[in-house]
Amino acid sequence: MIHTVKRTFAILLMAVFGSALLYNCEPEADSLGEQLFIDGAAEGNVTSYDLIAYNINNHDTIRSDAGRLVSLVNTSTSYSAAVLGAFSEGQFGMQKASFLTQLRMSTDNFNFGTTPKVDSVVLVLKPTPVADSLVTRPVKDESLLVGNETVPVSTTIKSYPTDYSFKYGKMKLGPGGTHTLLHINVDEVTTFLDGNDPAFKRSNIVVNTGTALGSTVFDGTVTAKTITKKSDNSTLFTSDAGIRIPLNKNFFQTMILDKNGKPELMDAANFTRHFKGIKLSVAETDGYLLQFSPNDMELIMYYTNEVNNNGVVTRPQSNFKFLLTGNVGNARFGQYEYNRAGSAWATASSNINEIEGDTKLYMQGMGGPSVGVKIPDATIANLKTLYQNDKAAIISAKIRIFTDAATWSNNYRRTNNNFSILPIDKKDPATEVLTSSGFIADIDAGFTWLKSYNLDKNPSYYDFTITKTVKEIVEGTAENKTLLVNIGQFISTGTSFLGYKYTSRAFATERGVYVGSDKTNPNRIQLKITYGTKK
């Protein structure tokens, strides 16, 4: 016990004291039990207790298949998220994110016509733009080949910066410098991506790649293009804002159009074994991590075929879109690589103390470390004694955790309520896999369970409300379980959570160093208990 501050509560409603120590069904958990203290009938005490908090090494792997790359689900729509990029810093080392996906024909056994030839192929990524920061470039007048005819056209290009809230790391080259460049590569995958194989559901998946399909340099902006025919002002081409990556047209000629009418293009089963997928990666090992929606990706092949109209042979241009979305069954995976050599986490992970706790706590999304938090049994025994002997009703219980001011003083975005917390039911001694069977009681009850403070300051801190959880231990018979804290929030269905197993951990780019069970640090992780006793 660290300190006790007494104060008097004046509340609107009087309830029966004793076993009634009721849990209020207000959405704000801090209001729990306040109705017991009408007109100063009871005194409230705020007390701090030390916690046992330790690091959990997830061995840099996490489920990152399509079923985990989901950020929001409702009755009609599923929004997916993926990460691309690389970022290095001293606390956690290097983290690199790539994305693997199958693709499908938009129409099975499609007829591309007579002697089809590829004109061009483009892959489009659509990171979230800042819509109100439009820059329109000067209109470019040029001539383009349209079918068999060269025609004068006007090209308008609109540029938008991408939203910084979907980036994490070193977005600028030095203070006030230009935007960090990412060299994005697209490669053919030559390993069959079996979405039903458990080995392919993990972020440390290893696959083989073949032909280099294309690349581009991403400078932080996305562009939208409109091409207008000058003779009649008709629109020949338009595109949404995105990153357009030109791909190897000879590869698609051989892989697709030369197989026109053959079994390889007959159905999805044949096609996904013929053209196994693509890999997106970056050349860098430092820079930043970019979140984007894989459901918004497009892969478009522009081609011509021979048309004989009463002896007049023409080659009109057509386009064919491949399906990259997950709702048609494409297997998709986040592939994450780490180099922890020389990092603070490499040292901390080799000396984890689950008995007394660790002085510094490391949390990182995408397979990085988590934190275990245990209320000491002696603290529970003390609270039970207060409850039984002094009729002390727990009004509020919170875990307060601070960022470590000494080691996490930087300009990287602070996690804003992007956490999850679960009770640990068991740990597999062989695999070290932690198992939970549901939410903590406070989340099940629908209470506000997490708040962030001072995100623009050093240190920041967070309060995890566990009032109902602690009350059920102290005033009931619930087990005092260790709590698992992760970076990555629970997936919302719009009105509720999808389930305790579904969080954004698989694509959460944030990380942080926090103060753990360090008795010399006034900002050490603590349990803040507010309880009331009848006068």
Side-chain angles (χ1 to χ4, degrees), residues 6-195:
K6 291 191 174 182
R7 54 180 175 169
T8 301
F9 290 84
I11 311 297
L12 300 176
L13 197 58
M14 185 64 185
V16 178
F17 205 83
S19 63
L21 304 174
L22 299 175
Y23 192 75
N24 184 7
C25 291
E26 296 284 336
E28 174 55 65
D30 289 347
S31 65
L32 172 61
E34 289 180 352
Q35 73 273 18
L36 303 177
F37 303 97
I38 185 171
D39 297 328
E43 290 185 348
N45 303 270
V46 180
T47 308
S48 298
Y49 296 90
D50 287 340
L51 292 166
I52 300 168
Y54 58 89
N55 293 297
I56 294 173
N57 189 349
N58 294 308
H59 302 286
D60 294 338
T61 180
I62 189 173
R63 268 197 66 179
S64 61
D65 55 313
R68 290 297 186 267
L69 300 178
V70 179
S71 58
L72 175 67
V73 177
N74 59 36
T75 54
S76 59
T77 310
S78 174
Y79 298 93
S80 293
V83 182
L84 184 64
F87 176 42
S88 297
E89 44 79 25
Q91 294 300 313
F92 291 88
M94 191 280 294
Q95 179 184 34
K96 188 170 186 175
S98 304
F99 180 69
L100 311 169
T101 182
Q102 289 179 328
L103 63 159
R104 280 167 161 70
M105 301 277 288
S106 54
T107 303
D108 289 338
N109 199 27
F110 184 78
N111 184 0
F112 290 99
T114 304
T115 61
K117 298 293 182 184
V118 175
D119 278 347
S120 63
V121 185
V122 64
L123 175 68
V124 184
L125 307 182
K126 299 179 181 179
T128 303
V130 181
D132 59 0
S133 298
L134 166 66
V135 176
T136 302
R137 301 180 189 175
V139 175
K140 181 180 180 181
D141 293 329
E142 55 187 335
S143 294
L144 294 179
L145 182 65
V146 180
N148 295 330
E149 180 185 7
T150 300
V151 298
V153 298
S154 295
T155 301
T156 301
I157 298 177
K158 298 179 179 179
S159 297
Y160 305 82
T162 46
D163 193 331
Y164 268 70
S165 63
F166 293 91
K167 302 175 185 178
Y168 188 88
K170 302 166 186 172
M171 278 78 77
K172 292 285 187 180
L173 297 172
T178 58
H179 195 280
T180 302
L181 302 179
L182 290 181
H183 293 76
I184 302 175
N185 297 322
V186 184
D187 292 280
E188 173 200 14
V189 172
T190 57
T191 302
F192 176 63
L193 301 178
D194 187 353

Side-chain angles (χ1 to χ4, degrees), residues 217-401:
V217 178
F218 177 53
D219 64 359
T221 61
V222 290
T223 57
K225 181 183 289 188
T226 301
I227 300 177
T228 305
K229 193 174 180 180
K230 296 189 74 171
S231 61
D232 59 6
N233 236 14
S234 61
T235 299
L236 296 177
F237 174 82
T238 185
S239 68
D240 297 330
I243 307 169
R244 298 179 66 84
I245 307 174
L247 301 185
N248 185 335
K249 69 176 186 179
N250 294 328
F251 174 88
F252 282 85
Q253 180 68 47
T254 302
M255 185 68 70
I256 305 299
L257 294 190
D258 288 353
K259 301 295 183 182
N260 188 28
K262 295 183 178 179
E264 288 88 341
L265 311 186
M266 190 70 64
D267 54 35
N270 284 357
F271 184 77
T272 53
R273 286 162 176 80
H274 168 60
F275 188 177
K276 296 178 178 63
I278 58 174
K279 175 181 179 178
L280 281 70
S281 63
V282 299
E284 288 76 12
T285 57
D286 195 11
Y288 65 95
L289 301 169
L290 172 69
Q291 284 184 343
F292 67 97
S293 171
N295 277 350
D296 293 335
M297 291 171 59
E298 293 182 323
L299 202 164
I300 309 167
M301 179 177 66
Y302 299 91
Y303 69 99
T304 62
N305 62 313
E306 186 177 292
V307 174
N308 189 327
N309 187 9
N310 296 324
V312 178
V313 177
T314 59
R315 294 192 67 87
Q317 188 182 68
S318 303
N319 68 75
F320 185 85
K321 290 188 177 183
F322 296 89
L323 299 179
L324 292 167
T325 59
N327 58 2
V328 295
N330 282 321
R332 303 190 291 184
F333 310 91
Q335 183 188 44
Y336 309 141
E337 305 169 56
Y338 293 89
N339 184 350
R340 305 292 192 180
S343 69
W345 168 239
T347 302
S349 63
S350 65
N351 190 29
I352 293 173
N353 188 340
E354 296 186 13
I355 306 302
E356 297 176 341
D358 295 319
T359 57
K360 286 184 174 59
L361 303 174
Y362 296 80
M363 279 191 277
Q364 181 183 28
M366 299 166 60
S370 306
V371 165
V373 181
K374 178 70 180 290
I375 304 173
D377 291 336
T379 299
I380 295 298
N382 181 52
L383 292 172
K384 285 188 174 183
T385 298
L386 287 171
Y387 171 68
Q388 293 165 358
N389 296 347
D390 299 340
K391 304 302 182 195
I394 294 174
I395 303 163
S396 174
K398 298 176 183 179
I399 295 171
R400 179 165 294 176
I401 182 171

